[in-house]
Amino acid sequence: ADAEAARGVGEIVPASTRQAYDVVEVVSAVVDHGELVQVQEEFAPNVVVGFACFEGHPVGIVANQPLVDAGTLDVDASEKLARFVRFCDAFGLPVVTFVDVPGYRPGAEQEHAGIIRRGAKVINAYATATVPLVTIVLRKAYGGAYIVMGSKAIGADLNFCWPGAEIAVLGAAGAVGFGFEEGAAVGAALLGVLCAAASSEESSPDMNHQMATPAAMSTTTTAAMMPMMRPVFFFSGCPPYGEPWN
């Protein structure tokens, strides 16, 4: 029965990052006898913590719950995670983390409630743990929330990725949208320069020729356009004009 459940676990996690699913079903499909004993189930339900076994060995389970607030981390979730990881470390239980997190919940309310301090507790709990840490990225792993969820950067012993998992600063759609928004501003600036050059053709042909040359374009427009171009260079991986490669 456990083998059949494990074979079907790939169908539980949807390919679309916008589609929710129950992470408890994923965990139950891979642990012994499908048994997950949750702790504090009603508190901060956007994360799941509990106990299970792998081949007879007890472990602590930590997971984001996409069914509640898309699995984002907030003040209560951070407190819940930090306390549970420290509990497992105190009693020698390995921690297995299932990650599907789009980030921290934004807003002034979270900031006033101490999201920075509570988030630091999660980092400290994972970074100081002496028990084995195993992390599985199920789908989304974005920004600082990915780092605190048992990432390799804070000391996880083994890290695995589900097929199609995304590890990034932010989602691809957000990054592309930001890049195109800045690119549109750059395009508008270029169009303005070209229109100005075309309008001066009759009055000053020599000036129009000068504006059309690459050397003249670089000297007359680069300084004004570089603040808008920097985000585009950032997303393309190229350094801005005149700046060295790192």
Side-chain angles (χ1 to χ4, degrees), residues 198-212:
S199 64
S200 64
E201 180 179 3
E202 295 181 358
S203 59
S204 178
D206 293 338
M207 181 59 183
N208 182 60
H209 174 71
Q210 182 182 3
M211 287 292 292

Side-chain angles (χ1 to χ4, degrees), residues 182-194 211 214 216-233 240-241 243:
E182 297 294 336
V186 174
L190 280 173
L191 182 60
V193 171
L194 294 177
M211 287 292 292
M217 287 289 289
S218 64
T219 56
T220 57
T221 63
T222 300
M225 291 169 53
M226 282 315 301
M228 293 180 290
M229 285 293 291
R230 287 182 182 277
V232 179
F233 282 120
Y241 178 82
E243 295 187 8

Side-chain angles (χ1 to χ4, degrees), residues 43-57:
F43 176 71
N46 44 330
V47 293
V48 173
V49 299
F51 303 102
C53 290
F54 285 99
E55 297 185 352
H57 301 284

Side-chain angles (χ1 to χ4, degrees), residues 95 129-135 150-152 154-160:
V95 178
T130 58
V131 295
L133 302 175
V134 179
T135 301
S151 67
K152 197 71 173 178
I154 60 173
D157 299 289
L158 294 173
N159 289 72
F160 301 94

Side-chain angles (χ1 to χ4, degrees), residues 137-156:
V137 179
L138 295 177
R139 200 168 53 174
K140 301 184 298 293
Y142 295 160
Y146 155 65
I147 296 176
V148 306
M149 290 290 296
S151 67
K152 197 71 173 178
I154 60 173

